[in-house]
């Protein structure tokens, strides 16, 4: 007989909230993680996006707080969850609020891009749960406005992306302010050496839950690639988006300016779209996501900053207008579809210059993408390209091997400046 949430011995107010949300059966990561977390075990969780990972830690933490009620420490919190992006912070906080609706618990979010006024006011009286991005939280700690010395539980969600985004030092400094005697949970979609080392330093005799091998893709997502010239990408994308089977879609670009261009192009053609990237204010990003969730917008055009922050079960298609420079990011991008047991489609547009990145992606996922060549934009040159991938940020001349110097000219200062400017725009 399948396990139900009732079998997990969660507090009645949580079971009531789950029933109201229409959830009766835990996902595999929830079924495996929740019993161990209720026992107080530290946990290292490995799971693909869209597997119900957030509720796997939200439910036992809410149960813990409800079972041992006490005032939240002033200027601090009982539970801290760290996440890489503002979107994911907001999403996790929303899960705490919806599943904890029948508990008298306070939740606040802390991230940059907005005034710290309301965040500081919430901390003054203390909150039960803080969900935060590392940068702004460390800033408040350094200002003496946040004291986490009485913290009971720490969660690092999407730890691999936090390290990819350069948050290793902020995390280290935040953890140094926490009590040694705490409950610690670490979740990651991939397990590079850096994450293994972080887990080793933070977790005490952890339970380990791995729902799928690191960096594998969801089987129910149909993945394909169209080889096109760079100049034809927007036209090919528009034709794809105009197909009747497209429901809601997420389009990923490599750079913020390209996201804006693509968004304007498809909007002019009559498709409702919003751009989502780091140059948008927090209010603009929240409004865009809310409009997308409410199906008022059909397409989100996003950079990788949003790859793990879009939690919308109705996304039918993901389109890669550009391939990501890191193959792991491909996995997180396509995980925006095929959620909640649904099937999904991921279509990648690959030009000659990004062909090398596609090879990296195919090595990462252990399979070749299905080639769709029956379209007017098919490019043999792109499909069989042996070009080196684009250089983001401009590698120093000394890093170019001697034989490569003979194949191409050494970069001028102007070229290096242009490459760095392009990287900043990403």
């Amino acid at each position: 007989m399948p396990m139900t949430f009732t079998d997990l011995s969660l507090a009645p107010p949580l079971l009531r909230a789950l029933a109201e949300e229409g959830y009766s059966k835990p996902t595999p990561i929830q079924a495996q993680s929740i019993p161990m977390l209720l026992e107080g075990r530290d946990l290292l969780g490995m799971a693909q996006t869209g597997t119900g990972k957030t509720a796997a830690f939200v439910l036992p933490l809410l149960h813990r707080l409800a079972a041992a009620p006490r005032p939240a420490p002033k200027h601090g919190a009982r539970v801290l969850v760290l996440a890489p992006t503002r979107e994911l912070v907001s999403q996790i906080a929303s899960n705490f609020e919806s599943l904890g609706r029948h508990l008298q618990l306070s939740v606040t979010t802390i991230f940059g891009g907005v005034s710290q006024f309301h965040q500081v006011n919430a901390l003054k009286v203390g909150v039960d749960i803080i969900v935060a991005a590392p940068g702004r939280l460390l800033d408040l700690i350094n200002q003496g406005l946040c004291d986490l010395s009485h913290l009971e539980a720490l969660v690092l969600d999407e730890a691999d992306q936090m390290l990819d985004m350069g948050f290793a030092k902020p995390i280290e400094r935040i953890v140094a302010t926490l009590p040694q005697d705490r409950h610690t949970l670490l979740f990651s979609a991939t397990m590079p050496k850096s994450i293994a080392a972080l887990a080793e330093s933070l977790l005490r005799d952890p339970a380990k839950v791995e729902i799928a091998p690191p960096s594998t893709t969801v089987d129910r997502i149909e993945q394909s690639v169209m080889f096109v010239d760079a100049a034809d990408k927007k036209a090919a994308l528009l034709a794809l988006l105009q197909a009747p089977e497209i429901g809601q879609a997420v389009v990923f670009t490599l750079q913020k300016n390209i996201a804006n261009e693509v968004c304007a192009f498809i909007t002019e053609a009559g498709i409702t779209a919003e751009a989502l990237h780091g140059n948008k204010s927090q209010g603009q990003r929240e409004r865009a996501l809310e409009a997308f969730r409410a199906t008022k917008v059909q397409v989100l055009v996003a950079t990788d900053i949003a790859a793990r922050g879009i939690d919308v079960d109705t996304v039918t298609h993901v389109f890669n207008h550009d391939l990501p420079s890191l193959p792991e990011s491909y996995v997180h991008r396509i995980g925006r579809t095929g959620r909640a047991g649904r099937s999904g489609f991921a279509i990648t547009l690959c030009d000659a210059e990004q062909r090398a990145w596609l090879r990296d992606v195919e090595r990462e996922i252990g399979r070749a993408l299905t080639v769709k060549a029956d379209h007017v934009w098919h490019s043999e040159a792109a499909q069989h390209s042996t070009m080196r991938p684009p250089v983001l940020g401009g590698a120093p001349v000394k890093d170019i091997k001697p034989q490569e110097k003979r194949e191409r000219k050494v970069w001028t200062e102007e070229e290096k400046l242009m490459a760095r400017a392009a990287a900043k725009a990403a």
Side-chain angles (χ1 to χ4, degrees), residues 83-129:
T85 66
R86 292 176 278 185
E87 286 75 22
L88 190 55
V89 166
S90 296
Q91 175 191 317
I92 294 168
S94 177
N95 273 262
F96 272 111
E97 290 166 350
S98 62
L99 295 176
R101 68 183 64 163
H102 301 301
L103 302 172
Q104 301 300 312
L105 297 172
S106 54
V107 183
T108 197
T109 57
I110 292 177
F111 46 68
V114 297
S115 168
Q116 69 179 40
F117 178 79
H118 295 293
Q119 299 169 5
V120 172
N121 280 349
L123 287 170
K124 283 180 182 177
V125 296
V127 292
D128 294 297
I129 302 153

Side-chain angles (χ1 to χ4, degrees), residues 8-18 38 59 62-63 66-67 103:
L8 296 176
S9 302
L10 292 166
L14 296 178
L15 295 176
R16 182 180 166 194
L18 285 164
L38 291 177
L59 287 167
L62 288 172
H63 179 96
L103 302 172

Side-chain angles (χ1 to χ4, degrees), residues 114-327:
V114 297
S115 168
Q116 69 179 40
F117 178 79
H118 295 293
Q119 299 169 5
V120 172
N121 280 349
L123 287 170
K124 283 180 182 177
V125 296
V127 292
D128 294 297
I129 302 153
I130 291 175
V131 188
R136 170 59 65 87
L137 180 64
L138 181 59
D139 187 27
L140 295 181
I141 291 172
N142 290 339
Q143 293 179 59
L145 299 172
C146 182
D147 176 10
L148 298 173
S149 60
H150 299 287
L151 194 79
E152 300 172 28
L154 167 68
V155 181
L156 276 70
D157 193 24
E158 304 286 11
D160 50 350
Q161 191 185 18
M162 284 198 284
L163 297 194
D164 287 345
M165 294 173 66
F167 286 132
K169 284 296 183 184
I171 290 171
E172 180 182 323
R173 290 167 184 156
I174 290 167
V175 169
T177 71
L178 309 182
Q180 291 286 332
D181 185 18
R182 64 173 188 271
H183 191 189
T184 306
L185 294 64
L186 188 152
F187 290 88
S188 182
T190 62
M191 186 53 69
K193 291 180 180 179
S194 57
I195 294 297
L198 182 64
E200 178 70 23
S201 68
L202 294 180
L203 305 177
R204 297 174 299 179
D205 186 29
K208 296 180 181 179
V209 174
E210 184 172 345
I211 298 305
S215 295
T216 59
T217 49
V218 182
D219 291 338
R220 59 180 171 268
I221 299 175
E222 183 179 307
Q223 301 166 67
S224 59
V225 59
M226 292 170 55
F227 291 103
V228 299
D229 293 330
D232 292 330
K233 280 189 173 183
K234 290 188 183 70
L237 175 65
L238 178 60
L240 291 168
L241 290 171
Q242 289 173 329
E245 65 270 19
I246 305 298
Q248 287 190 284
V250 181
V251 176
F252 284 103
T253 67
L254 191 62
Q255 297 173 323
K256 291 174 281 193
N257 63 313
I258 301 300
N260 289 335
E261 291 175 12
V262 169
C263 186
F265 182 79
I266 63 176
T267 299
E268 188 175 343
I271 294 174
T272 55
E274 291 282 354
L276 194 68
H277 53 67
N279 275 0
K280 297 286 185 178
S281 70
Q282 182 60 25
Q284 288 173 319
R285 288 161 70 167
E286 289 177 355
R287 286 191 293 273
L289 277 171
E290 185 54 39
F292 189 64
R293 291 191 181 101
T295 68
K296 295 177 182 177
V297 167
Q298 184 184 4
V299 179
L300 277 183
V301 186
T303 55
D304 280 314
I305 192 170
R308 306 192 200 191
I310 303 171
D311 184 15
V312 180
D313 292 343
T314 53
V315 173
T316 61
H317 290 71
V318 166
F319 297 98
N320 290 307
H321 178 274
D322 302 302
L323 278 147
S325 58
L326 297 174

